[in-house]
Amino acid sequence: MPAVAQYDFKESGICLAFDRFTACAFHALRATEDVLKWYYTLVLSATPTESDTWGTYETAIKNAITNGALTPPPSEPLMLNIGSIRKYYRNKTQHPQLMYSLDESQDLLSLCTKTTCELISDLKARTLI
């Protein structure tokens, strides 16, 4: 896993332990986005730019699935998780629209961890790591 993702998952756990729930969510999302960026880089042999975002990675992966460039395609639950996190959490957390409770931050951290594990499992199945 990339060093930035490792750092952010650790920070997310520390923030959760110290009742900094919105910070926990922020770091969990940052970590997951870094793993998604890594996945995009390895699976599509692409070089991300500074302006690329979660949406860029998700769209590129979906396009590769649609045009048959990514076979076998990632699992449907993985793609749904990537899209759901972006749609329902990422932008609203990045921009100050949400303040998280204990339960909400734990749930998001769990979803981010699950999605990260799925991304890594997919990379292993493709023998890219």
Side-chain angles (χ1 to χ4, degrees):
M1 187 182 321
V4 170
Q6 291 178 38
Y7 169 83
D8 276 314
F9 273 121
K10 181 179 178 182
E11 288 295 305
S12 183
I14 291 168
C15 290
L16 182 63
F18 286 96
D19 298 337
R20 300 294 177 244
F21 306 127
T22 301
C24 169
F26 177 82
H27 282 289
L29 289 166
R30 217 174 93 120
T32 307
E33 186 165 355
D34 195 49
V35 174
L36 179 60
K37 176 182 172 182
W38 180 51
Y39 180 86
Y40 160 89
T41 302
L42 294 174
V43 169
L44 300 182
S45 299
T47 303
T49 66
E50 288 294 317
S51 62
D52 286 340
T53 64
W54 193 300
T56 305
Y57 309 134
E58 180 184 9
T59 299
I61 294 164
K62 284 181 176 180
N63 288 342
I65 294 166
T66 300
N67 66 29
L70 184 55
T71 56
S75 71
E76 185 177 345
L78 171 57
M79 293 307 298
L80 287 171
N81 285 342
I82 291 169
S84 294
I85 292 170
R86 181 193 52 78
K87 183 176 179 180
Y88 297 111
Y89 300 100
R90 194 249 182 224
N91 289 340
K92 292 177 183 178
T93 303
Q94 186 75 16
H95 306 289
Q97 295 174 327
L98 292 178
M99 292 177 60
Y100 286 82
S101 69
L102 170 63
D103 289 340
E104 292 165 333
S105 63
Q106 287 179 143
D107 290 348
L108 180 57
L109 178 55
S110 177
L111 178 58
C112 287
T113 302
K114 178 182 183 345
T115 303
T116 294
C117 289
E118 290 172 342
L119 287 164
I120 291 170
S121 291
D122 188 81
L123 289 172
K124 285 180 180 178
R126 295 174 193 280
T127 63
L128 293 173
I129 57 171

